[in-house]
Amino acid sequence: VYAVTISFALFSCTPGIQSYSSKAKDADLKKYKPYAWIRPADTENRVDDSVYAALILKLANEELAKKGFVLNTEDPDALFLFDTRVENRVSYSQTPQVSVGIGFGGPGFYGGVSGPVAGGQIVEEYHQEGMLLIEMVDTETQQSLWRGWAKKEVSAQSDVEADIRTAVKHIFMRLPVKHK
């Protein structure tokens, strides 16, 4: 019951942000402590990454330090990279089915007539979804060790900086290592 309450409290404060992670099957993340960042492939043409890159790096470095990682650009064991995206999405839902509509009472016992009312139509809803992905890569093998990502429906009214702060926290909560 206690764990359920904590989970509910975490997600009730941040409506809509969902976070996920995956780890390479045999990866021992405890052996990676010094790290560095690598630049995404197409940063010059990616306005979304360049606008918030400094904030993402600052927040990610803070979270990695809490887990005992040490920033070392000279001789890192692991490399981290991030990517951001905003994509158009379509959601489908079905309107409720209503079985009884028009009715009237008659002079007899349980008299009356009813007819079905339209319902159950499929409705399309268009929206945008923002995503932040952070990946950990082995420097020697160039193999992905771990990925964490968060996504949320966004709009022109979204507080992007607050969403990034929450997303980075949620992503690194899923990184399954803490150095002593």
Side-chain angles (χ1 to χ4, degrees):
V1 175
Y2 184 69
V4 173
T5 306
I6 291 173
S7 296
F8 178 74
L10 276 174
F11 290 106
S12 65
C13 295
T14 56
I17 290 185
Q18 301 168 326
S19 62
Y20 308 88
S21 71
S22 65
K23 181 176 100 45
K25 187 176 179 181
D26 297 326
D28 178 13
L29 301 182
K30 291 178 186 166
K31 72 178 193 175
Y32 300 92
K33 192 169 184 176
Y35 75 95
W37 287 91
I38 56 175
R39 191 178 175 123
D42 191 20
T43 51
E44 298 196 11
N45 297 321
R46 296 283 309 274
V47 175
D48 53 346
D49 278 350
S50 63
V51 171
Y52 295 104
L55 177 63
I56 293 168
L57 290 173
K58 175 187 172 290
L59 297 170
N61 284 332
E62 289 170 3
E63 293 298 320
L64 286 165
K66 289 178 190 175
K67 293 202 170 264
F69 285 88
V70 178
L71 184 60
N72 179 343
T73 58
E74 298 298 319
D75 190 25
D77 293 336
L79 299 171
F80 282 88
L81 66 103
F82 73 88
D83 189 18
T84 61
R85 295 179 191 268
V86 175
E87 296 179 344
N88 294 320
R89 298 283 188 201
V90 179
S91 297
Y92 297 94
S93 61
Q94 185 173 3
T95 60
Q97 289 275 16
V98 179
S99 61
V100 178
I102 304 169
F104 67 89
F109 190 71
Y110 293 115
V113 174
S114 65
V117 173
Q121 288 90 5
I122 303 297
V123 178
E124 291 181 335
E125 182 181 310
Y126 297 91
H127 62 275
Q128 289 189 316
E129 184 177 82
M131 186 201 57
L132 171 62
L133 166 80
I134 298 176
E135 184 171 7
M136 180 180 180
V137 176
D138 183 287
T139 54
E140 290 181 22
T141 66
Q142 301 300 306
Q143 297 296 308
S144 177
L145 300 166
W146 174 85
R147 286 181 182 185
W149 64 98
K151 60 185 183 174
K152 179 186 180 200
E153 187 174 317
V154 294
S155 69
Q157 291 77 32
S158 293
D159 184 346
V160 177
E161 285 191 24
D163 289 342
I164 288 172
R165 289 179 188 283
T166 303
V168 169
K169 239 184 215 330
H170 281 249
I171 289 168
F172 283 107
M173 284 184 350
R174 294 182 169 277
L175 179 60
V177 65
K178 180 153 180 139
H179 298 289
K180 296 181 181 187

